[in-house]
Amino acid sequence: MEGEETERKYFLAVGQNRESNYELITKTPGSSRLTLFNSAVDILELLTREAKVLGRSFNHRDVGSVWIVCDVDDEGAKLKELINRPKSSDIKWIISNPSFDAWIGMHFPKMVTGYIDRHKVQSDLKKIKVLTGSNAKTVSMDLLAGKYSAAKEAALAHEKRHSGVTAFPENNPSSNVPDLIDVLNPNWE
């Protein structure tokens, strides 16, 4: 996961009270998508070795899943290339475009209606105190409480709007964060 504060704190909150274990590994903010990909491949190789020790082949149900959570930022072309690499088939990509702030903004449907600038949505979230702190990276989870369904609906609406018209990475705004939330905590609100 790229994003030491916003993303990490968000997913820790979503995953608390989860019955099974999970581990969030955060790379230095601003890590290249290649660094994230290589780390995920290393983890997959470790899980595969562990599965063999148990006398099994790699199976997500037995040894877990590896997810990469990142923004598009200015690395859309590189992300597209990484997603299409053969080893990427066992990695689940969670991508917010242009940034994770777009996903947070989707909790407020009128905030993210069309193409957005990440600095603008970050500024808007700071104005309503959803993002706080000197660098506007601390998420006020209590202000997002009960808004997950609206955010998921907004993400799906943006996906539908882009479908067949706008290809990745030009699909701004977009986010498939609900794919991971629904695994971490199917009862998240």
Side-chain angles (χ1 to χ4, degrees):
M1 174 182 311
E2 188 273 331
E4 211 168 309
E5 288 196 44
T6 312
E7 292 89 331
R8 182 173 182 76
K9 289 177 182 174
Y10 183 89
F11 285 109
L12 283 172
V14 168
Q16 72 184 125
N17 303 323
R18 181 182 155 94
E19 291 180 16
S20 58
N21 292 330
Y22 74 102
E23 180 179 1
L24 292 177
I25 300 171
T26 308
K27 293 295 172 185
T28 305
S31 291
S32 75
R33 303 318 171 247
L34 180 59
T35 299
L36 296 173
F37 177 78
N38 288 336
S39 294
V41 169
D42 290 345
I43 293 167
L44 277 172
E45 289 171 358
L46 175 67
L47 291 174
T48 301
R49 285 192 303 273
E50 288 178 2
K52 284 182 183 175
V53 167
L54 296 172
R56 300 180 176 142
S57 60
F58 179 79
N59 179 314
H60 295 291
R61 282 170 286 174
D62 292 336
V63 294
S65 299
V66 177
W67 303 71
I68 294 176
V69 177
C70 64
D71 305 332
V72 170
D73 287 334
D74 298 323
E75 294 194 56
K78 185 65 176 177
L79 263 173
K80 191 172 184 176
E81 185 262 320
L82 291 170
I83 290 167
N84 291 316
R85 285 190 180 180
K87 288 190 176 196
S88 190
S89 64
D90 286 324
I91 297 170
K92 296 176 180 163
W93 291 85
I94 299 300
I95 301 171
S96 294
N97 189 2
S99 65
F100 193 75
D101 300 325
W103 165 249
I104 300 294
M106 288 179 198
H107 289 72
F108 306 90
K110 292 181 180 176
M111 186 177 292
V112 180
T113 57
Y115 181 90
I116 59 167
D117 174 81
R118 66 187 175 111
H119 300 292
K120 168 86 168 91
V121 75
Q122 189 179 57
S123 174
D124 291 347
L125 290 166
K126 194 172 180 178
K127 284 177 192 170
I128 61 171
K129 301 192 184 326
V130 171
L131 292 180
T132 62
S134 60
N135 60 358
K137 292 291 183 185
T138 302
V139 181
S140 297
M141 293 299 293
D142 52 329
L143 295 178
L144 301 181
K147 293 180 171 35
Y148 172 66
S149 292
K152 184 176 180 177
E153 284 177 31
L156 292 171
H158 290 300
E159 181 181 325
K160 184 177 180 181
R161 185 173 53 85
H162 291 302
S163 181
V165 179
T166 314
F168 178 81
E170 286 77 33
N171 58 339
N172 173 336
S174 65
S175 182
N176 64 337
V177 167
D179 294 351
L180 179 53
I181 291 174
D182 291 346
V183 169
L184 284 177
N185 190 344
N187 299 314
W188 184 248
E189 295 179 12

